[in-house]
């Protein structure tokens, strides 16, 4: 008979994070700040897509961006050029952000006069999907060069997302990527997820995505 205790530490961590995430959402609701968690693998085009999104919405919404990375401030410097409020978050080697880290980032950035706060999460298709950041909506970017089978290989990421942006559709002719098959795989993992095919480089499809985000922010501030 075993004489030692087994403690489910992982479950405890997630439970505590979920509680903090819920509290953060309640606070943001009162402040009428819409928090978007943007995820993808490295190189999928998060920063370029975010730049395009800011261009589409900055005349209507006051936007703040938190750039999360293990190190460097490359992405924050890129976003700074758009003129929105931006802060760089270094995770100290961690491959994701949790609710408390997100809260610290929001407090450092300041949410006064912010309608839309965007967390550009660490580039990773595994860890970021496991932690509720307190965001109102989760969005992930899948780029054409990554392949149309990613929803089958990373089920949790696609399961937790409200929107999937299929980026770099301008290079579809050069890759073995079946757009309809990919949508089918996404639907298999998450029937609720909306899918927008875009090219952050050319701007194709960005306005449709921006329209969705515009409506979501308005609804969040209205309720």
């Amino acid at each position: 008979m075993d004489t030692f205790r087994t403690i489910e530490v992982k479950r405890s961590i997630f439970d505590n994070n979920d509680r903090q995430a819920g509290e953060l959402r309640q606070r943001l609701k009162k402040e009428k700040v819409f928090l978007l968690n943007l995820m993808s693998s490295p190189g999928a085009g998060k920063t370029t897509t975010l730049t395009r999104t800011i261009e589409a919405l900055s005349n209507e919404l006051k936007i703040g961006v938190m750039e999360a990375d293990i190190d460097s401030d490359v992405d924050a410097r890129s976003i700074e050029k758009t003129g929105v409020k931006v802060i760089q978050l270094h995770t100290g080697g961690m491959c994701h952000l949790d609710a408390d880290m997100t809260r610290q980032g929001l407090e450092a950035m300041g949410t006064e006069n912010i309608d839309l706060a965007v967390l550009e999460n660490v580039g990773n298709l595994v860890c970021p999907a496991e932690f509720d950041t307190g965001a109102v909506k989760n969005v992930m970017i899948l780029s054409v060069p990554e392949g149309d089978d990613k929803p089958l290989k990373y089920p949790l990421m696609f399961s937790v997302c409200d929107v999937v942006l299929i980026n770099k559709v301008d290079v579809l002719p050069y890759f073995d990527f079946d757009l309809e098959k990919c949508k089918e795989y996404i639907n298999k993992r998450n029937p609720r997820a909306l899918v927008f095919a875009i090219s952050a480089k050319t701007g194709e499809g960005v306005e449709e995505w921006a329209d969705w985000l515009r409506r979501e922010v308005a609804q969040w501030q209205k309720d």
Side-chain angles (χ1 to χ4, degrees):
M1 179 178 179
D2 295 334
T3 59
F4 57 84
R5 295 173 62 199
T6 300
I7 301 173
E8 296 289 343
V9 176
K10 186 175 181 181
R11 177 177 295 277
S12 176
I13 290 172
F14 285 140
D15 286 348
N16 185 53
N17 183 74
D18 290 346
R19 177 184 57 77
Q20 292 178 329
E23 292 172 353
L24 180 56
R25 259 189 298 275
Q26 290 179 7
R27 169 186 153 190
L28 292 172
K29 183 66 173 177
K30 292 178 181 178
E31 296 177 357
K32 297 187 181 300
V33 176
F34 185 101
L35 175 60
L36 180 75
N37 180 27
L38 185 62
M39 301 176 285
S40 80
S41 61
K46 284 197 304 298
T47 304
T48 307
T49 299
L50 182 51
T51 299
R52 282 283 188 178
T53 305
I54 291 169
E55 291 174 354
L57 298 173
S58 60
N59 288 335
E60 308 163 49
L61 301 175
K62 295 180 284 295
I63 302 171
V65 176
M66 296 177 289
E67 286 288 348
D69 213 335
I70 293 174
D71 202 355
S72 90
D73 57 4
V74 174
D75 293 339
R77 290 184 181 277
S78 296
I79 294 298
E80 186 178 35
K81 296 175 183 177
T82 67
V84 301
K85 183 185 291 188
V86 61
I87 188 171
Q88 181 73 55
L89 306 179
H90 286 164
T91 65
M94 297 185 70
C95 59
H96 66 275
L97 266 75
D98 60 22
D100 188 59
M101 295 161 73
T102 303
R103 177 193 59 77
Q104 293 178 55
L106 286 167
E107 290 178 354
M109 181 178 71
T111 55
E112 303 82 6
N113 299 316
I114 293 292
D115 298 311
L116 171 63
V118 181
L119 170 62
E120 185 176 334
N121 217 315
V122 180
N124 189 319
L125 290 183
V126 181
C127 303
E130 296 181 337
F131 290 85
D132 188 344
T133 61
V136 182
K137 296 291 182 180
N138 292 316
V139 175
M140 73 89 57
I141 302 173
L142 169 65
S143 65
V144 167
E146 294 176 80
D148 54 25
D149 59 351
K150 284 296 181 290
L152 302 180
K153 295 182 176 181
Y154 299 92
L156 182 59
M157 173 59 76
F158 289 86
S159 296
V160 302
C161 285
D162 301 285
V163 171
V164 176
L165 302 176
I166 301 179
N167 189 28
K168 304 185 181 181
V169 294
D170 52 302
V171 299
L172 271 172
Y174 309 103
F175 288 88
D176 184 17
F177 187 102
D178 188 324
L179 185 58
E180 294 308 312
K181 182 64 71 174
C182 185
K183 291 179 180 179
E184 179 183 323
Y185 292 153
I186 294 169
N187 184 68
K188 179 180 179 180
R189 293 300 186 196
N190 184 357
R192 299 175 295 100
L194 298 176
V195 179
F196 297 99
I198 70 167
S199 169
K201 180 178 180 180
T202 67
E204 178 183 349
V206 171
E207 191 55 41
E208 184 180 5
W209 144 246
D211 280 343
W212 176 86
L213 186 53
R214 185 183 290 113
R215 292 193 299 270
E216 290 296 318
V217 173
Q219 189 64 46
W220 179 255
Q221 294 178 331
K222 176 182 177 182
D223 289 344

